[in-house]
Amino acid sequence: MKANYQRSGGAQNLNAMIQQAQKMQEDMANLQAELEEREYEVSAGGGAVTVKINGKKQIQALEIAPEIVDPDDIETLSDILVAAVNEAIKRVEETSAAEMEKITGAMNLPGMPGMPGLF
């Protein structure tokens, strides 16, 4: 007994999905390279500390206003530095996630509307 299979364009849909996924993967690789080249500047402590960071989360520069350097209060300076670096890293991550979401959220496959977090 032979099974009766009807073709409803399933192979074409699968091929289209594969092509769309490959295009998305290419777009994501290009975007990732672009994001790694970006530079961000974040200030903390009312501008007392400025951190410049790239998209690879590597600190490029750290500027400290001389007036906040108090040898008797290193703890405050340390707290401001930590806050600035953490905020810089957070900005890189949020920007990267938002930009990637534009690509992954746009992928809309039949029966699978948007697949954020897939890649």
Side-chain angles (χ1 to χ4, degrees):
M1 176 156 132
K2 287 185 171 181
N4 186 10
Y5 295 105
Q6 292 182 344
R7 290 194 142 175
S8 62
Q12 288 177 338
N13 286 342
L14 180 59
N15 192 29
M17 285 176 21
I18 290 170
Q19 287 177 346
Q20 188 175 5
Q22 288 171 338
K23 168 88 170 82
M24 184 175 72
Q25 199 170 24
E26 213 175 277
D27 291 347
M28 287 174 60
N30 292 336
L31 178 58
Q32 185 64 44
E34 177 190 322
L35 289 170
E36 288 178 355
E37 294 300 316
R38 288 189 187 176
E39 289 191 2
Y40 305 82
E41 186 172 299
V42 177
S43 295
V49 173
T50 301
V51 175
K52 292 181 185 175
I53 187 170
N54 67 18
K56 294 178 185 177
K57 300 178 193 168
Q58 298 168 329
I59 304 299
Q60 302 297 301
L62 183 63
E63 298 171 14
I64 302 169
E67 61 270 11
I68 69 156
V69 179
D70 180 356
D72 296 327
D73 190 13
I74 297 300
E75 187 176 340
T76 298
L77 177 58
S78 294
D79 290 345
I80 294 171
L81 288 170
V82 168
V85 170
N86 286 337
E87 183 60 32
I89 291 169
K90 181 180 173 186
R91 177 146 336 141
V92 171
E93 290 174 348
E94 287 175 348
T95 301
S96 295
E99 293 291 329
M100 285 295 178
E101 177 66 24
K102 290 177 185 176
I103 293 174
T104 60
M107 185 174 182
N108 193 359
L109 303 175
M112 300 177 167
M115 298 181 4
L118 178 65
F119 293 95

